Amino acid sequence: MQQITTVISTVPIGDDDGPQRVRQLVARDEDLAAHGRAGYVLHNTQTITGTERVTFVDTLTRNQ
């Protein structure tokens, strides 16, 4: 059976938000790495761009 999960990360895009953007991107990377260690594989990434933020929707799958 296949399991599907999503990781949703919201990252600011303003010029003044550099440090927060870096923290959010590092947190996303760590979250994806943790799922990878649990056997999940990144299947798809969609981005939703707003005026102040970008939202990443990562879909991961794992076969049991």
Side-chain angles (χ1 to χ4, degrees):
M1 178 187 339
Q2 187 177 62
Q3 292 181 320
I4 300 171
T5 191
T6 57
V7 174
I8 299 173
S9 307
T10 303
V11 179
I13 57 175
D15 290 339
D16 296 334
D17 296 320
Q20 183 181 2
R21 180 175 41 248
V22 170
R23 284 192 304 273
Q24 292 298 103
L25 289 172
V26 167
R28 175 178 176 247
D29 187 50
E30 290 172 349
D31 203 9
L32 291 173
H35 278 83
R37 287 188 297 275
Y40 282 93
V41 175
L42 181 63
H43 181 75
N44 188 30
T45 299
Q46 294 291 316
T47 57
I48 304 164
T49 304
T51 57
E52 297 179 6
R53 302 191 181 288
V54 172
T55 301
F56 296 91
V57 181
D58 298 300
T59 303
L60 301 103
T61 59
R62 173 174 72 175
N63 291 323
Q64 290 185 337

